[in-house]
Amino acid sequence: MTEHAVVIAGGGPTGLMLAGELALAGVDVAIVERRASQHLPGARAGGLHSRTIEVLDQRGIADRFLAEGQTAQVAAFAGTPLDISDFPTRHNYGLGLWQNHFERILAGWVEELAVPVHFAREVTGFAQDDTGVDVEVSGGQSLRAEYLVGCDGGRSLIRKAAGIEFPGWDPTTSSLIAEVELAEEPEWGIHTDDIGVHSFGRLEYEIRDGEVVYMDRGPVRVMVTEEHVGPTTEPTLRDLSEALIAVYGTDYGVHSPTWISRFTDMTRQAAAYRDRRVLLAGDAAHVHYPVGGQGLQIGVQDAVNLGWKLAQVVNETSPESLLDTYHAERHPVAARVLRNTMAQTALLRPDERIDALRDTMSELLSLDEPRKRFAAMMSGLDIHYNLGDGHPLLGRRMPDLDLVTPGGTVRVFTLLHDAHPVLLNLGKPRGFDISPWAHRVLAIDAKYAGDWELPALGQVAAPAAVLIRPDGYIAWAGDGTDTGLRDALTTWFGSP
């Protein structure tokens, strides 16, 4: 039986990101992926929001994605654009990059970190005990792990086998999305009628002056809302043809599909993100309508929240109770996304009264304060973990400041490339004695002039020091003394 510290079921964006985070911490991790290779048929999700780009920047790999994607203002709420170009972040934009390219680039990073991937295999069952998990894999293979993480999608076998409930709301609408060839040219762009929202666009496109410009040839990406909620079976070319005819009176000679998928507004969330030695992340933990493009984002961010915590438990730096903070922090984040996607779905319904409500919302979101609040939510920049009372920065993302250090100017995100926690001292040099944690926490003396500004929160008086977690969130903010610092170090990075 092959043994690993952690086995991840699923090699999509969430599983890949988690594997990378664990590998950075020296954890023996392996991925079990049912596809025969990392190749993803079709494009799937269309890009990255600002906070996800920041997360990749924290690991020093954002440029790989920026080099292949196209930056643009992509944040929106129920179709109302939300400009974030005035937000205080280096990445005050989104990135147009299809999921198949995102996965390919991310997989390249994971390969550099020497993470083994068992392709053409899937987890078929498991049994956990007090010391680990026996993982059954298709093809007769067995793996033994200290922990098993289900990153295996909305129909997660891991979640079901663990007996974790998945409460929520059944679908009220469904759409087909596909990459196909067409014999006749359709009307390009997005269309709305009494059935719902539909669109045609070439897979290859450019963004010019903020506008999408499709190429003249190549596969077509089509989305069509179905008249009635479709079955849970895999959709066929005939299903797509019938749905197009119902909307347009023709199927435009649709043929040669690369892939066809059905998505609905089913909205569900795992009641618990952990059952002892089994954890859930990404779509295995939460599913929702894809409006706003938030699904991939929160999956990747689940992984970054969980990765360093699980690594510290595996490496016996922290007690197993640290894993309880994963559910405590990430469950509310996804719950909020589920609520905002349900609200957006309601606003997109084809109804004249809803049209009036949507127009009212658009007018509201044209005002500066509501625009900033909703844009920060949609782009993931306003996440605030409840770490107790204290400085307003506590539990919020650390801004990527340009720090002046004895060794020269350095960005905060550069300090996080190796996924180590950082104690950033902006006051008197060598003002803190953290010698019991010196091998775990990077201590930096630096200077930064001026107030700090965060999206949605606004300007904040600069603290004298901050303790930054590996995921980029502030675990402690000091006023010039070390009050509370030892407690925070112990809570997040183990006993001295």
Side-chain angles (χ1 to χ4, degrees), residues 265-284:
D265 65 339
M266 181 175 71
T267 304
R268 296 187 181 278
Q269 184 175 23
Y273 282 15
R274 175 184 169 219
D275 174 49
R276 294 170 291 163
R277 291 180 172 271
V278 175
L279 300 107
L280 304 175
D283 288 353

Side-chain angles (χ1 to χ4, degrees), residues 378-395:
M378 297 303 295
S379 58
L381 292 169
D382 74 339
I383 291 172
H384 181 203
Y385 297 136
N386 183 9
L387 304 188
D389 298 330
H391 196 283
L393 288 168
L394 191 63

Side-chain angles (χ1 to χ4, degrees), residues 77-81 356-367:
F77 187 84
T80 298
L357 177 59
R358 186 167 55 251
D359 290 344
T360 302
M361 280 294 298
S362 294
E363 183 177 350
L364 176 67
L365 293 175
S366 70
L367 302 175

Side-chain angles (χ1 to χ4, degrees), residues 403-407 410-412 414-416 418-447 464-469 476 485 489 493:
L403 304 171
V404 178
T405 74
V410 63
R411 291 170 52 198
V412 167
T414 301
L415 302 176
L416 295 171
D418 294 329
H420 292 146
V422 175
L423 176 62
L424 178 59
N425 173 31
L426 299 168
K428 180 182 177 181
R430 295 180 295 280
F432 300 98
D433 177 15
I434 62 165
S435 50
W437 291 272
H439 61 298
R440 304 175 205 166
V441 179
L442 177 64
I444 298 289
D445 291 335
K447 298 292 184 183
V466 287
L467 180 63
I468 310 168
R469 306 189 322 188
W476 172 84
L485 176 58
L489 287 164
F493 311 117

Side-chain angles (χ1 to χ4, degrees), residues 127-133 144-147 276-277 320:
Q128 59 175 317
D129 53 42
D130 291 341
T131 61
V133 187
R144 175 73 176 176
E146 293 179 46
Y147 290 91
R276 294 170 291 163
R277 291 180 172 271
E320 194 174 2

